Amino acid sequence: MTTGAASEVVLTDQAAKRIGALLAGEAPGAVFRVSVEGGGCSGFQYQFAISPAPTEEDAVIERDGARVAIDPASMGFLAGAKIDFVDDLMGQSFRVENPNATASCGCGTSFSI
């Protein structure tokens, strides 16, 4: 696990609280995984999942009880990004503010570079 690259990704207070709440119901060592995969309406899309534990290659972000794991390939897309959790008229969701994205879709879950 590395933490240097993970310091380039920021969790907001709201995201840390929500992730902490999600992980509270999981087995000890579980992490919230953020990854980037091909697809979506703009070329790439963010994926969010709970994993039992980070892998050796993962970058791990920890804040206020929240543990986020990001694989090395996804970290290249997420460097400098801010992960937020919003609860608005559109519903509840994690949102990524990514300075590497040149365009994104209206739902905020896919982007292009």
Side-chain angles (χ1 to χ4, degrees), residues 1-2 29 31 33 51-60 67 69-72:
M1 286 179 285
T2 60
V31 293
R33 180 166 299 281
S51 292
T55 68
E56 281 297 315
E57 297 84 31
D58 287 336
V60 177
R67 294 182 66 214
I70 303 171
D71 65 88

Side-chain angles (χ1 to χ4, degrees), residues 50-106:
I50 303 290
S51 292
T55 68
E56 281 297 315
E57 297 84 31
D58 287 336
V60 177
I61 305 164
E62 296 187 58
R63 178 176 180 176
D64 301 331
R67 294 182 66 214
V68 175
I70 303 171
D71 65 88
S74 296
M75 184 53 79
F77 293 105
L78 292 168
K82 178 169 70 171
I83 300 171
D84 194 10
F85 181 76
V86 296
D87 185 357
D88 58 20
L89 293 175
M90 298 295 288
Q92 296 180 337
S93 64
F94 286 98
R95 302 260 171 91
V96 179
E97 292 178 28
N98 190 340
N100 304 304
T102 57
S104 62
C105 68

Side-chain angles (χ1 to χ4, degrees), residues 41-46 77 98 100-105 110-113:
C41 52
S42 295
F44 295 98
Q45 60 188 357
Y46 302 110
F77 293 105
N98 190 340
N100 304 304
T102 57
S104 62
C105 68
S110 74
F111 66 100
S112 61
I113 297 214

